[in-house]
Amino acid sequence: MKILIVVPALGLVYGGPSKIAVELAQALGNLGISVDVVTTNANGAISLDVPLHTWIPEKSYRVQYFPYWMGEYKTSFTLTGWLLQHVTDYDLVHTIAVFSYPVLAAHLACQLRQVPYVMNPQGMLEPWALSYKAWKKRFYYALLEKPALQHAKAIQMLAFTEAERTKPLNIKAPMVLIPNGIHRQDFEALPDPALFYQNFPNTRNKTLILFLGRVDPKKGLNLLAVAFAKIQAQFPQTHLIVAGQDNIGFLSTAQGYFAEAGCLDAVTFTGMLTGSLKYAALAAASVYVAPSYSEGFSMSVLEGMASGLPCIITTGCNFPEAASAQAAHVVDINADKIADALIECLKHPQQAKAMGNRARQLILERYTWEQVASNLSKVYTAILKQEPISVFS
């Protein structure tokens, strides 16, 4: 089986979709599936320093980069030409994200060359996501994205709630429920938190609350500012870590939320954390919080839970299973509810620790890339054999 994954970019500044494409390619390749990834060299304000128009071998897949222009839309005519010429080299194409030129070009090439494709919108069809910059998306969706969705052989939904919220769009293609995952080995032993304290000494000897995600309007930092101000009043030893990249110039606005709430002095904005430093932050934290308005299925939430942290996440994170398993506080998208859950964890550390242990067990048992790849390979096989597609969870 030969699979082509198309994703707008692999730059780390883009967060989830870029990381997911790499992890998925690796996991599928580990199953013995032939996997190629094509993308652009976009990486925020600068381009990735990578060879273009040539295959770069990775552990169990290959990747090829193409130049782009037009900023966030990532238009690439050379990628378009390559897709038109080579898409028939593959049995099936899997695209990640929507509202971006590379995946649109892939869908059109697949339709023209009659190659089946699977789409993973990564939560970008959720009501909140569609309402953000709606004046741009409404026309684009009707003209380009909806036809692409209708021609897909399957739509990969990351959560049951995501599938439910997209029902009003009347997408005819079958939906399969396959969430994102983590690598078990990454969480078998977290590094010494001293590495984090060395880089951010003002956090030493504090009770750390960790937010791990892009500095972006949808992440709910305005809600977190109000909630954390209440926490600071009751637990002055607490300190909030906001660890994430600012791709759109939103940092000053986010900092303004905390300044207005009167708690900016107890907040450290670290920028994006990667590798050992990210895992050291997880090891140093006492509580993880995700106050998002909308997510597909957050990789950061999975990482927080796999680290054994007590987690407070909103219903916008699309993970009701965490509440069912008593593995996280899943709260309404509301500053008071977020604050109440944080207070509960800080007042009752033993119960919070037990919840974190349940979270770790849940993620390591049910949400690994090995399971994701196995379920997707079954979907691919069913499509290629023209058999009914089952829904996996």
Side-chain angles (χ1 to χ4, degrees):
M1 189 188 306
K2 252 190 125 171
I3 303 298
L4 177 67
I5 295 175
V6 182
V7 64
L10 292 181
L12 292 177
V13 301
Y14 299 112
S18 299
K19 179 177 175 61
I20 287 158
V22 169
E23 303 289 6
L24 176 59
Q26 183 73 52
L28 289 170
N30 289 343
L31 290 180
I33 297 172
S34 175
V35 181
D36 287 341
V37 179
V38 291
T39 187
T40 70
N41 63 335
N43 190 37
I46 59 173
S47 297
L48 291 175
D49 183 15
V50 292
L52 302 175
H53 306 296
T54 187
W55 288 115
I56 301 171
E58 300 292 348
K59 289 182 181 178
S60 62
Y61 65 96
R62 302 186 303 174
V63 60
Q64 186 167 177
Y65 294 91
F66 294 84
Y68 77 104
W69 64 287
M70 272 186 68
E72 63 178 343
Y73 194 52
K74 305 176 184 68
T75 301
S76 176
F77 295 122
T78 54
L79 174 55
T80 304
W82 186 93
L83 286 166
L84 288 169
Q85 185 176 355
H86 292 283
V87 74
T88 53
D89 297 343
Y90 299 90
D91 297 307
L92 184 143
V93 173
H94 192 143
T95 63
I96 296 175
V98 290
F99 298 115
S100 190
Y101 181 88
V103 293
L104 173 64
H107 299 149
L108 294 175
C110 285
Q111 292 173 42
L112 185 63
R113 305 298 194 212
Q114 297 186 321
V115 175
Y117 61 91
V118 173
M119 294 176 66
N120 180 347
Q122 282 294 315
M124 297 178 191
L125 298 178
E126 290 250 322
W128 189 94
L130 288 176
S131 68
Y132 182 64
K133 297 182 179 178
W135 62 275
K136 284 184 177 181
K137 292 178 179 175
R138 190 176 297 113
F139 177 75
Y140 188 102
Y141 175 79
L143 184 66
L144 300 171
E145 289 295 356
K146 188 171 184 178
L149 288 159
Q150 305 296 30
H151 284 92
K153 293 299 181 182
I155 310 295
Q156 182 191 353
M157 292 281 109
L158 303 175
F160 173 77
T161 44
E162 181 190 10
E164 286 294 303
R165 290 170 187 161
T166 57
K167 277 185 177 179
L169 298 176
N170 295 314
I171 299 170
K172 295 177 182 177
M175 294 186 180
V176 294
L177 176 55
I178 303 177
N180 296 324
I182 54 95
H183 291 297
R184 180 187 298 268
Q185 63 269 24
D186 291 343
F187 297 91
E188 287 176 351
L190 293 176
D192 192 324
L195 174 63
F196 182 78
Y197 299 136
Q198 289 167 10
N199 282 269
F200 303 98
N202 63 317
T203 67
R204 196 183 298 272
N205 300 321
K206 301 287 186 180
T207 300
L208 300 184
I209 299 169
L210 177 64
F211 165 92
L212 189 61
R214 286 180 293 115
V215 178
D216 185 276
K218 83 168 187 174
K219 297 296 185 176
L221 289 170
N222 58 329
L223 303 176
L224 183 56
V226 175
F228 183 61
K230 294 183 176 182
I231 301 307
Q232 258 282 293
Q234 292 191 47
F235 304 92
Q237 81 281 12
T238 55
H239 194 93
L240 176 66
I241 305 301
V242 178
Q245 181 77 16
D246 173 25
N247 293 337
I248 60 173
F250 193 68
L251 179 60
S252 60
T253 301
Q255 290 172 329
Y257 295 147
F258 292 94
E260 185 178 350
C263 57
L264 182 60
D265 289 345
V267 183
T268 295
F269 289 81
T270 65
M272 182 172 62
L273 301 180
T274 60
S276 297
L277 189 54
K278 179 182 73 173
Y279 293 112
L282 288 163
S286 296
V287 185
Y288 172 96
V289 61
S292 295
Y293 288 101
S294 176
E295 296 283 350
F297 193 75
S298 171
M299 291 290 295
S300 298
V301 168
L302 292 179
E303 291 172 341
M305 294 177 69
S307 300
L309 290 174
C311 296
I312 291 92
I313 65 177
T314 63
T315 53
C317 291
N318 277 329
F319 203 0
E321 294 84 356
S324 300
Q326 297 183 312
H329 287 296
V330 181
V331 301
D332 291 339
I333 306 170
N334 175 283
D336 289 336
K337 298 296 184 183
I338 295 167
D340 290 345
L342 284 167
I343 290 168
E344 179 73 15
C345 288
L346 294 168
K347 276 188 173 179
H348 305 286
Q350 291 305 313
Q351 291 93 320
K353 180 175 171 42
M355 183 174 70
N357 291 337
R358 291 192 295 272
R360 176 177 168 81
Q361 183 177 0
L362 174 69
I363 301 306
L364 296 183
E365 286 181 356
R366 294 181 54 188
Y367 296 91
T368 65
W369 280 115
E370 291 78 10
Q371 291 166 305
V372 172
S374 176
N375 286 340
L376 273 173
S377 70
K378 294 173 185 176
V379 172
Y380 298 158
T381 300
I383 290 171
L384 296 177
K385 290 184 176 181
Q386 298 184 355
E387 296 175 348
I389 298 173
S390 300
V391 176
F392 300 94
S393 60

